Amino acid sequence: MKLGLRLPQGLGTDLRHDVVEAARTAEAAGYASLWTYERLLFPESPVDPYSPTTVEWPESSRQAADPLAVLTAAAVVTERVRLGTAVLIAALHTPVQLAKALATVDQISGGRVVAGLGTGWSSDELRATGATRADRGRFLDETLDVFNAAWGPDPVTVRGPRTVIDRASVLPKPVSRIPVLLGGGGNNLGRRTSSKALQRIAEHAEGWLPVLTNTGPAGAAELRTGWACIREMASVAGRDASSMQMVVVGNVTFTGRPANSERSAFVGTLDQIMDDIRTAEEAGADELIVDLNLQDWFTNTQQMLEAAVEIRERVAAW
């Protein structure tokens, strides 16, 4: 299983220096990929809770630098690592502009971009760009259609809810087809044929971006069930399921002492975090994204990178 690292984007990040330092350090340490995430704004009184168990948004979410700008900086100072988004919220972007931006970063990086997309969940963010929660799915579907057209041969013709292109050149093109991974589906794993999110992944994406939430055998079983469902749906749709990838997201929160048995995945001591990495591997993940952006107690990016390098070294020693 490969390891990826989310780049620093949050409060306390020196965007001029920390992004390139993190990108260089991660590549030198053997990370296979670098990732960014998207948070558009930080509502003081959010309409939606941050998670089913947390109403208030964490202070670390107050800033999230633009994901594609951060990836561009990383592209310039690296040579090998793949550069991904986990995730961009499709409804926050005009589809053709997003297709063009991703293709541009792909050209700058020499063909290393991976486009991870999701529907989003924050009503505050969606309405800031003129969307609603009801729009999320169809806007994501339209974005995928525009990607297929804009990254294909010119002239491009597209007619969708927000996008009308009539025989026009859309340049630059990506170096080659940019892999598209989709998040979502995690709450519907038991409803094999009714989950629109899983169906969308199976029929239109090159892979799945689930978040591991449960620890141990339960967490591994949840991932395996969802992944098997997606691959079965893909095969029924006539796609090559063996070419698809599962890239698991691990949102790390370190604790000073071991967390109890009821803990969520990736919450605990470093040893417990390593156990969760093994769980993702046992579930069949092709790659795991280590996200250390939630650590309010990191005093600087160097401290974050020390933790990231230690995690990479421990995995390499297995």
Side-chain angles (χ1 to χ4, degrees):
M1 183 181 69
K2 299 177 182 177
L3 280 188
L5 181 68
R6 268 202 178 135
L7 291 166
Q9 297 170 247
L11 282 178
T13 301
D14 178 351
L15 293 172
R16 184 177 182 185
H17 300 107
D18 289 358
V19 171
V20 296
E21 179 185 1
R24 287 170 171 153
T25 300
E27 185 171 64
Y31 276 91
S33 55
L34 300 172
W35 300 80
T36 56
Y37 64 100
E38 185 161 48
R39 281 265 69 83
L40 183 63
L41 46 75
F42 182 90
E44 296 294 335
S45 301
V47 173
D48 304 300
Y50 189 77
S51 73
T53 58
T54 305
V55 174
E56 293 185 1
W57 290 27
E59 187 65 19
S60 56
S61 296
R62 187 170 289 275
Q63 171 184 293
D66 181 80
L68 293 183
V70 171
L71 275 192
T72 302
V76 173
V77 298
T78 57
E79 296 290 337
R80 301 178 305 278
V81 288
R82 296 189 330 283
L83 303 163
T85 58
V87 293
L88 294 175
I89 302 166
L92 305 184
H93 301 269
T94 302
V96 68
Q97 291 177 312
L98 184 56
K100 190 181 188 78
L102 285 164
T104 301
V105 181
D106 195 60
Q107 284 283 346
I108 291 170
S109 70
R112 293 184 281 141
V113 167
V114 179
L117 302 177
T119 56
W121 53 267
S122 168
S123 299
D124 295 285
E125 292 186 326
L126 291 165
R127 68 186 181 186
T129 57
T132 68
R133 290 178 66 89
D135 297 323
R136 297 177 300 160
R138 66 187 182 93
F139 281 5
L140 176 54
D141 290 336
E142 181 186 15
T143 298
L144 297 175
D145 290 340
V146 171
F147 283 2
N148 286 331
W151 294 341
D154 290 324
V156 172
T157 296
V158 181
R159 293 191 178 274
R162 296 184 294 168
T163 307
V164 176
I165 304 174
D166 188 9
R167 294 186 57 78
S169 294
V170 180
L171 296 168
K173 305 295 184 186
V175 174
S176 58
R177 166 72 191 189
I178 295 175
V180 174
L181 308 181
L182 295 179
N187 295 326
N188 299 294
L189 300 186
R191 299 161 56 189
R192 292 175 61 81
T193 59
S194 62
S195 170
K196 175 63 175 176
L198 296 185
Q199 196 77 41
R200 182 184 289 117
I201 297 164
E203 295 181 358
H204 300 290
E206 282 71 54
W208 184 31
L209 279 165
V211 176
L212 180 63
T213 56
N214 293 317
T215 62
E222 183 179 11
L223 288 179
R224 280 195 295 266
T225 299
W227 190 222
C229 182
I230 290 169
R231 287 162 60 90
E232 180 181 330
M233 289 177 174
S235 296
V236 170
R239 304 187 69 209
D240 179 10
S242 66
S243 67
M244 300 176 70
Q245 290 197 327
M246 176 168 61
V247 180
V248 176
V249 179
N251 296 318
V252 176
T253 299
F254 287 118
T255 58
R257 61 181 62 185
N260 63 35
S261 59
E262 302 300 317
R263 71 185 181 91
S264 298
F266 294 102
V267 175
T269 63
L270 180 56
D271 286 341
Q272 290 178 309
I273 302 306
M274 299 309 299
D275 289 340
D276 296 331
I277 293 175
R278 284 190 181 276
T279 295
E281 185 173 39
E282 291 165 0
D286 297 283
E287 190 161 353
L288 173 78
I289 301 170
V290 178
D291 182 5
L292 300 174
N293 277 277
L294 299 178
Q295 297 304 304
D296 291 336
W297 58 266
F298 278 151
T299 59
N300 52 49
T301 296
Q302 183 59 43
Q303 188 183 20
M304 182 271 279
L305 290 176
E306 290 171 1
V309 170
E310 183 171 1
I311 289 171
R312 175 70 186 99
E313 289 175 346
R314 286 197 179 200
V315 171
W318 287 352

